[in-house]
Amino acid sequence: MSTALLLVEDDQAIAQFLQRALAADGRYQLEWQASGATAQVALRQRRNHGKQPYAAVLLDLGLPDRDGLELVPWFRKESPETVLMILSARGQEADKVQALQSGADDYLTKPFTLAELLARLHAHLRRSGVSLQQGPLQVGNWTLADQTRCLHIGEREISLTSKEYQLMRVLLRNAGAVLPHQRILSAVWGPAHADQTHYLRIYMQKLREKIEPDPNQPQYLTTEVGVGYRLVIASDLTDPLQKP
Amino acid sequence: MADDTDKRPDPDALLAVAQKEEASKHRGRLKIFFGAAPGVGKTYAMLRYGQEETNKGRDVVIGIVETHQRSDTQALADTLPQLPLRSIQHRNVTLEEFDLDAALTRRPGLLLLDELAHSNAPGSRHQKRWQDLEELLEAGINVATTVNVQHLESVNEVVQAIAGVRVRETVPDRIIEEAEELTLVDISDADLLQRLKDGKVYLGERGARAMANFFRRGNLIALRQLAMRVAADRVDLELRQFRAENAESESVGLRERLLVAIGMNADDEHLVRAGYRLATAMRCPWIVVHVDTVKGLLEDAQAQAWLWSNLHLAERLGAETVRLTGVDVVAEILAYAKLREVTQVLIGQSQGMRRYLWWWPGSLLGRLLSHKRPIGLTIHPLPTRKDVSKDSQERSRQYLGMVRSEKQRRQQKQALAIGVAAGVGMSLLGLGISALVGLPGLFLLYLVGAVVIALYFGRWPSVAALLSALASFYVFGLSRGLTATLGSLLSFAVIIGVAVLISQLVARSKEQESMARMRERRVRNLYTLVRALSRVHTIAEVLSTAAEQIHSTLGITVSFWLPAGNDAALPLQFFPPDQDPGTHREALNSAAVWVFQHRRSAGMGTDTLSSLPALLLPMVNNEQPLGVLLVSDLEIQRTPVDWFRYLETITRLIAAALETARTAEIRSEADLRLQVERMQSALLGAVSHDLRTPLTTILGSLSTLDHLQDKLSEAEQRALILDIYGQTQRMSENIERILRVAALLSGGTELKKEWVPLTEIVGNARRERQALCEGRPFTVQIPKDFPLLYGDPVLLTQVYSNLLENACKYTPAGSAIEMDARADEREIFLCVADNGHGIPPGREEQIFERFSQVKPPVGTGGSGLGLALVKSIVQLHGGRVWVINRLSNGGARFCFTLPRVAPPPPPKEG
């Protein structure tokens, strides 16, 4: 059975391209709504009919009836388990941060490639199955033990300081998603330090030195410039077409 | 005077009228009910007036009225609405005062304010009610008030002479002059005495008997005459004004200008008041001048205090005050008089012996008399008595905050004790050696001892030493063998005389020396401050430098309030920004706003808000308020004698430096705008170039596919698709960059500066350029513990990304790329070097301009926007960028700098 997705997008060309592409992929079934209002109706109707909620919503910000940013909290409230991914032509970091802060899981700036979209979707849908309970956290071949504060990556064992452990825990729990600076800072250092981005930067640097093969060219702990960080565990985020 | 000018209004007078009208449009109108003594019915008349105005429909409100339980007055007052009074707690007593802020908020059409000469309770904003009045008028509120003649500052002495009572509560005469209307409330002296007998006059609770003395018939007649004279002068002034406005003036006449020369004596207070009366009578501007001479500078602090209090008084009486410096007092005064076209000079002549010396060539009077230029000369006799009125002494001491400290008093006592002990010691020594040296030697010993003590401890300890020596001299029986006791006493008297004389000289010269040293140090401090301020450029630097300098030289800590915005307007924010005024924060903040708005100082030692435990000085340049300087209380007590004036000078210097810094900041903003505009115009060109080029390829490839699909092999079709893909990506990147530049330009210059490690920036940039720089050996050299960068992470990544793009695009595939970083105290140096062909000599500057490319290799095709963007981003961060050709390996080395900023607090572990 294919996974149900909802696309909220007013541009017909993009909607058609995505419907064709996802249909060809075969794993997903994409429903399309061209305005915020109809999207809200569709989401409610689906729930009222007792169907499984959408696995993911792809939301364009420039909708004809309202600003997509205003819809983000609504979706988050109505359907907390749905992966909410923003598709927008707005490249401003402030917009990205705002969308992520109000509950979006990811942000793709137009133009994007199909491969990029599929890779992100895949990562998020897999993550939404990760349990949020206490105890050792496991994602892929990464395991974070809460007793010893040790991180295992396959065979490697890395011991972490208390702050590094807390930071790693937040990242691992949200593996694959973009985490805005403020969100990590509030989670690890407390809301009072939400503006001290240099705390985070210094600790990310420390983590990279411990985890990355080349700390100067991180492949796991990646930076979303001007927005935040993303923990990339599998190689599912690389764009196959970018390699000649 | 020529006939045709006779009937024309005097232009100066017209201008004055126009200015007055302009000012009074905003200023409230003042009506004064003026009387000769308490009990003449001023309050009643004022209330009646209030009632009449209410009937005419005006919004009349009582600010404060003292009815003293007189039923008729009370009944009248009850018909009018009254503002609630303000309760002030002072030493377990609740005092009720007029509520200035309530009146300012209420903004009545007419406010009735009784007893203008009243002194407010401690803790009020102003010390005197007339200051409240001024603020009300400034706020445009009309006021009616009552004043008795004895409260006028200028007649203060006359009243003292008439009634033998020194009136402490005074009102400056200018208040009377500025009033729109003056109504004399008058009853005959007989009626007033009758009212007094009937118990209808309230005399206050305590001073009833003293006041009863005051109410003698002779006094009352004299006061009544005085009040009428003041009122008549005022009417006379009005008549003259009316004539000037209506061209009824008999003659334009010469413009008079009065100069009053004062010295450093307490008595000069009389001279200032005389000057005021003279200037008012002549209706001319007047200047009070003091000439600072070397001798004057060496006068003691008390003399300085008198001078300052007298100059202050002159200012309050409406004079312009000037301090000149020179060796020859007379020459200075005459030169200044000539410069200012002074027509009248007023000098004082003391009644002592010196008045007979006027003919002496050096005397002020003699030289003024013999001066060539015709100048009117008035000589005011100064009283002979040396006993300066206690309260003027008190006032001047208070003014300068030079009340002797507890510590000094203790030291003085210690010195006296040492003197006594030394006297006994000398006699003991005398016991031992008297046989050897005899009596004359013994006396010499005393003399030397007295001089030494005078030298180290001053006059009185030295006298104490001699007296105790004299006592012990007899006690120890040293006088044995002395033929006559009278002789020894005489010798002691001579020794004491000599010792006192010497100690006097020593003390004087020590005082002079320390004074001179203090002055010298002070001038040097000012010089250092000016030099330090001239080296800094931003407002924050000016303030912190000033605070530092004041702290290191005066030992006091100052802080500031500055307008939060760019324009010199409210609200104010505190500096340093991470602090606030501490205790009394609310009161200090609102006081700062008052000081800023009124451009007058407030707090401790001033007339306004004197109960505040701090001093606030306005920083004003060219009449424009720039901020407020705060000195808090503990520190005030530690400061040297005439700190107030010194601080004023410093404040003026800081204000001037602030203004310069502000102008410079505005100018650099303008420069930045110009740069932004230049970039904007170039952006349009970039858009068309950057988008059209890849579009051409895409369109071409697509049309090939469309038209020739049948004729193309599978591999050729795939190649065309990859071409389209590549060009689309390039276009996408270009759009990204154009948008980045556009945002940089339109968003103005707002950088989102954060602390970020260099390694992260470099990592980001390398990831962005991963595809382009595939297969190139990289060396990255960043020293361990490299300082954090302070900048916009997105834009700094862009800088590196563009430099990497450049390096990878324009150098042969596979050649190495080197990145390195170093930092000195002021700047951080960041470089990206390649091993390509380098930059053609002479084009090192040009390549940072837009659309400038060096020999673009086939197929790369950039717009030339990249380096221009690098340059603007670096410049926005306050850095520089340049390129050099490397000597050893060939290739180009691009470097840029960022200013090094003090690091942020490190993160907390655990």
Side-chain angles (χ1 to χ4, degrees), chain A residues 91-93 109 111 113 161-164 181 189 193 197-199 201-206 208 214 216-218 222-226 229 239 241-242, chain B residues 718 722 725 729 732 736 740 743 752 754-757 759-760 762-764 766-768 770-771 780 782 788 793-794 797 904-910:
Chain A
Q92 292 286 315
E93 282 74 20
T109 309
T113 62
T161 67
S162 144
K163 271 277 173 282
E164 288 167 358
H181 295 131
W189 279 273
H193 296 283
T197 48
H198 67 281
Y199 285 20
R201 293 208 161 92
I202 290 170
Y203 272 89
M204 283 305 284
Q205 217 52 42
K206 288 185 178 176
R208 280 175 178 157
D214 178 3
N216 288 330
Q217 227 182 344
T222 59
T223 309
E224 291 290 313
V225 180
Y229 293 97
D239 182 349
L241 273 173
Q242 243 172 22
Chain B
R718 169 90 185 143
L722 279 180
Y725 190 73
Q729 274 206 324
S732 170
E736 201 58 40
R740 183 75 71 198
K752 254 187 77 187
E754 288 171 21
W755 293 99
V756 52
T759 43
E760 177 157 331
V762 171
N764 293 343
R766 279 179 69 184
R767 202 155 55 90
E768 271 182 25
Q770 205 169 11
V780 181
I782 300 173
L788 293 181
V794 177
T797 304
K908 297 180 199 101
E909 170 76 35

Side-chain angles (χ1 to χ4, degrees), chain B residues 501-533:
Chain B
L501 204 68
I502 288 176
S503 63
Q504 190 108 352
L505 285 174
V506 167
R508 165 86 50 95
S509 74
K510 266 178 82 174
E511 209 166 84
Q512 287 180 349
E513 187 201 331
S514 76
M515 201 79 169
R517 202 181 298 138
M518 189 176 91
R519 251 151 238 288
E520 195 258 355
R521 197 174 56 223
R522 201 162 277 197
V523 170
R524 205 175 46 221
N525 287 346
L526 280 183
Y527 175 66
T528 331
L529 179 67
V530 170
R531 262 203 2 200
L533 286 179

